[in-house]
Amino acid sequence: MYTIETQLSGPKEGANSFGMDPVSGVVSLKGGDPLDFEAGYHVFQLALRATDKTGLFCQGTLIIKIIDINDEKPQFEPFPLDSINVTEKKPVGEIIARVKATDRDEDNSITYSFKTQQEMFGLDPLKGIITLLQPLNLDNPNNSKTYPLEIEARDNGNNTNTYMFTVFVENIDDPISCDSSFSTGAGVSVSVPENIPASAFIYMILSRDPDIGQEVEFLILNSSTNATAYFALDSRNGVISKTIEPLLDYETNPKHFQFVIAVRNKENLPVESCIGTITINIQNVNDESPVLTYIPDAPINIYENLPVGTMLVKLTATDRDIGDSVHYEFIGTQKEFSINEDSGEITIACPLDYEDVATPKSWVLYIRAYDNKRMHSTTGSLTVILQDVNDNPPQCSQDIYIIELPENIPSETLLVSLTCTDKDATLPNNNITYHLIMDTFSNKTFTLTNNELRIGSTHLDFDNAIFAGMHFKYTLFVRVSDEGSPALSTILTIIVRVSRINELNPVGTTSVTFSIFENSPVDALVGKITFTDADWPFNNLKYTIVGGNVGTPPKFYIEPDTGMIKLLDSLDREVESQYKITVRIVDLDNDAIPDPFRQRRATAQVTINVLNINDEPPVCNPPHLETRIYSIVKAPFVHLNCSDKDSPKEHLSYSIVGGNTNNQFTLRRLGVDPPSLVIRQNFQYDVFQGIQDPVTFQLLIEVTDELGGNKARQLSATTTVIIHVLPWTTAQPTSSTKTSTTTITTSVLKKISYYWSPDNWFPAVLTLTGALFMACLYAGAWCLFKDVPACSRLFPHCHKHQQHQPSLTAKDPGQVPRHGNSLSSVPKPNSKPNLLPGNHQLSTV
């Protein structure tokens, strides 16, 4: 089944002209809405659908375009009442009317034509314009008052239509003929002098009426104010003349009088009138003298030095004669002033200087005002007074003063008296004042009273860092001003150079004490003497050792510019524990004129204490002892005699470190003296561990200094005591001290020192770990910088465009492999092992 879903038309919408057979699908016109291209139905758009019995369908669009056919007749636009009115005076060739026809068919052109031949009118076949071919003057008896016209319009399809209308010709009366200069444009213009006599003839209007038997008259339709009081019009012949009273005055009366005059027949027919304008211009006559309207009565005060051309006053004068200009001139000669002859401006002609004795201080100027051709004139006068102007700044004998002073110059000392004058002739323009301009650093250092510059309450000080930055000079400015208005001033520059005076002695601590260890190396710093000198340049001192106990050869020297005392030779506290030296401090500053004999100086007493260093081991005298005792002895039997050069007795410690079997012996010490050997128990047979036979003991006693001090700095020595113990018997021993020969054997003193000694595998592991770490570090750097051109020397295969890199072989001695043995060297172990507990022991003899 076929259906039309939608039907659209355009450009005009709403048409429903087509239908569709639901069985065959044929689209055809319906009888309801006919096709009409001119009505706006140019195109149709149909949405078509084909549907089967199951409801499935397909849809398409059919566009039908309508072709226009020329089937319409042209239609005329009619004239009102189907007629046209034309006057008989219509000029030949002018357009009378235009006919217009329209055709509803598009793109159609229409042509026009008369149905019958016409002699009076012409017709444009394309535009429909009707023009006049012959005059329509009704005075011609052959001309008609009406003309019927029938026009045919034809389109491209030969469709025609006609339209008929009538042309009516209107009759017009001929007007009165007048002088063309009077009746056209602005009319006639007549000039008369202001002193024209009464009843004088001025102008006559020329006119005629072409209609025979008709007479004309002249009437004033309009006139300017008071025109009829000064002038009269004869209505019969059109003559204009001057009245008797009043008299014309150009200066007070209007300069123009105007009349609007109508010329008509006496029957008062407006169509036969002509109207024109007559303008009477009053001419000026030079009959008045100039009058000065402005000239100052009071004197004019002017200042000197006004520029040439400066206007002082502008005179004004008037002349009642219109158009008569006024001119000005001086009566007599004036070289200082000039006057413009046309404008009356009085200006300065040359420079005026009040201080110039040749220049007058006042003038009386006489002025004449005259008209054109000097027919009339008038005179006047004015007074000009010259005023002084503060135009001269103060002038001084010098612009720059340079003064040199010592820094100890006393206060109120006069430095300079300024000499200045002012050329201005009057007060207060020539009254001079002085003002000192200083910076904050110079404040109170200088004073200025009137024109005298003196040292102020603050003394000059050469010894100042800020002043040194100013190159030891003050730059002062003095403003010399007058009291005129405005005040003028001159700036003077005064440079005060200050020369130094060595005023102050070196200052510092005159007695100082330093300490130094006896084992200090040569050139070690002992101490620094610090003295100051407030004279500039600050602390310009020289230090010299001039006396005292400095040792032989000298143990110390002093740096002359810093005051640092340093060690010149090695010290030995055991030889000399204190040195006293005298240091001279010399002030190298001088006055502006150097004088070495006037140098200021000071001395300092320096005490140097030599501090002890434990560098001497204890010494026992004698180093070996041998004695005999009975086994029953309990009192001390051997007294040790040991000493130390750099330690007092109380700082020595004693201990039995060898040969004391079963701790039979001990050391007993009373006070600070060296100890004595005593027996812990007797050696009787019946006593535990007693003896029956003689026994020999060989004791090794260690003596150590720095008791309670730093163990690392302790020094020690040993002494051997051989003791022969005899058993106690009833028989008394002989008094002989002879003993059997005893062989002294060497005893071994064992001391344990600790150091760290790694196992044999540890250095190898450490070396391998270091090599692996360096290889990883190099690989990481190669990954980061391989593409950087600047690192091509450090990392091979650096550039992206380099495809092959020649290998390094033994044949190229100039190349060093980047990898391999670069990490093969193993650092040597520390020759000084650290002493750590719990490791191997080292025994020393």
Side-chain angles (χ1 to χ4, degrees), residues 79 81-84 97 99 114 130 147-151 163-167:
F79 295 119
L81 302 178
D82 296 330
S83 62
I84 297 175
V99 294
F114 287 122
I130 302 173
Y147 296 91
L149 299 178
E150 185 179 6
I151 297 177
Y163 175 62
M164 179 174 285
F165 60 93
T166 303
V167 177

Side-chain angles (χ1 to χ4, degrees), residues 72-108:
E72 299 289 341
K73 292 182 178 181
Q75 299 296 324
F76 281 95
E77 296 179 4
F79 295 119
L81 302 178
D82 296 330
S83 62
I84 297 175
N85 295 322
V86 180
T87 63
E88 62 174 332
K89 300 299 182 182
K90 192 72 171 180
V92 174
E94 283 196 3
I95 297 174
I96 294 177
R98 178 178 181 179
V99 294
K100 184 177 182 182
T102 59
D103 194 329
R104 293 180 70 235
D105 293 318
E106 287 188 353
D107 300 329
N108 259 341

